[in-house]
Amino acid sequence: MKRILIIEDEVAIAELERDYFELNGMRAELAHDAPQGLEMALKDGFDLIVLDLNLPGADGLELCRQIRNKLDVPILIVSARSEEIDKIRGFGLGADDYVTKPFSPSELIARAKAHMTRYERLAGRASDPEQLRIRELTIDRSARRVYVRGEEVVLTAREFDVLSFMAQHPNRVFSKEDLFERLWGLESAGDISTVAVHVRRVREKIEALPSDPQFIETVWGAGYRFTV
């Protein structure tokens, strides 16, 4: 049975989310402030975390960062904050999805299932020993590690997915919509801005000069291309 952690200070919303997860065969547990949420997330081995942003004890974005630094688990932000900057910051700090309140409980469940399935699929590839070597860049798909000139660089799970996918399809142009559909697996055009955020963060970690990238190039008006 999948275990879900819901970090939400509004009791009625938290209980609604819990009820829908349990109706769909999952076990959901509640935390109502940031310290309790962080403690539970790091201790109890959940399959997915649903995270509000307006929490007692700490801002939800900071909590997202703390969780992502420790765990490779899907994080879904569910918040009344609908500004694009909040979404961009959330994705940049490691969130996998962003749902704006008021929301459809059925859509929340569908998104949660999609993200858990994707994480399981990626974990199942761990037995693949293939390594990709492109100039000074090495992508170890079995260990999900990346090295630049022999030095390891640390990528989040989603950053690794973006880099690994593009490196496996060299010299092919992918639009933001293509990458979002293939890697996020959800048709939610309003969140496509996360693609640019993740590409930028990958460039900052693997490129000698991120403003003049040699691996992931921007093809203006079309998307991105991994160049070998």
Side-chain angles (χ1 to χ4, degrees), residues 59-73:
D59 183 77
L61 290 172
E62 171 60 20
L63 181 57
C64 179
R65 184 192 67 79
Q66 293 176 341
I67 294 172
R68 177 56 70 219
N69 284 344
K70 298 289 187 180
L71 299 176
D72 188 11
V73 60

Side-chain angles (χ1 to χ4, degrees), residues 163-190:
L163 176 60
S164 178
F165 175 80
M166 296 198 69
Q168 291 175 72
H169 300 85
N171 301 318
R172 177 176 171 182
V173 176
F174 290 96
S175 68
K176 293 179 183 178
E177 291 80 3
D178 288 336
L179 291 171
F180 189 78
E181 182 176 352
R182 289 170 181 266
L183 297 175
W184 276 256
L186 301 168
E187 295 181 0
S188 178

